[in-house]
Amino acid sequence: CVPCTNGPGHGYYYTSSGSTLNSCKHSVCPPCPHGQYRTGCEGPNVGTCVNCSKPLDTYFVGSGGLTDSCPYVACARGDEECPTGQYRFGCGAIENPLYKGHCMPCKQPKKTFFGQAMVEFFSPAVLSHPVSAAIADSSAMVAEVPSQGSAYAVSIKTPGIS
């Protein structure tokens, strides 16, 4: 047996043997889903679909055929821009590179109380909070800032590390 050579070449694969003649049947390599391209589609192999690469802040809008050339568009362009006070969340994320994202409200920065009277520094010997006790074993200084309910904001300062 010898390999068939009657196929049209790139973009096709063989689907049958040629019996005693060089007349193997062949088919076009099938397309892949958006965000992927087909590699290894040649000879008797149909190949496999693999993920395309793209720049940050873009999402895929098509497949790449037989090369890593999937079409993509920029996030939050033109009609996809968010209103003032919102930003586009999740656009082209690694876990869903086809997703154009959605608008989310911008968050206000949280206030910190370091340097004010609300911050108390504890020596490792007097810490009783479970998180603080674990940190105390590593010779860290802990600043706990009581907030609403029983939640705490914790800042860790390890001696010798800025």
Side-chain angles (χ1 to χ4, degrees):
C1 291
V2 294
C4 285
T5 58
N6 67 309
H10 187 71
Y12 292 83
Y13 69 103
Y14 292 114
T15 59
S16 73
S17 69
S19 189
T20 59
L21 304 172
N22 187 18
S23 61
C24 296
K25 292 183 181 179
H26 52 272
S27 289
V28 174
C29 298
C32 292
H34 285 18
Q36 296 185 335
Y37 69 99
R38 187 164 297 278
T39 183
C41 184
E42 58 189 346
N45 303 312
V46 69
T48 58
C49 293
V50 296
N51 293 335
C52 286
S53 54
K54 65 176 187 61
L56 291 174
D57 295 326
T58 63
Y59 64 96
F60 292 119
V61 294
S63 63
L66 299 174
T67 62
D68 185 0
S69 59
C70 295
Y72 56 84
V73 295
C75 295
R77 72 189 196 305
D79 61 337
E80 293 177 356
E81 288 186 26
C82 294
T84 301
Q86 295 186 1
Y87 70 100
R88 185 150 300 274
F89 174 77
C91 181
I94 292 171
E95 60 276 1
N96 189 357
L98 306 176
Y99 184 52
K100 65 180 179 180
H102 62 277
C103 294
M104 295 280 295
C106 295
K107 294 180 180 178
Q108 296 296 319
K110 294 183 179 182
K111 295 179 181 177
T112 59
F113 298 98
F114 294 99
Q116 297 179 12
M118 291 184 69
V119 177
E120 294 181 23
F121 289 90
F122 300 91
S123 69
V126 298
L127 294 174
S128 61
H129 189 272
V131 172
S132 300
I135 294 167
D137 291 339
S138 67
S139 304
M141 296 299 293
V142 177
E144 295 180 324
V145 181
S147 61
Q148 296 177 340
S150 61
Y152 288 91
V154 178
S155 172
I156 303 168
K157 179 83 172 171
T158 304
I161 300 177
S162 301

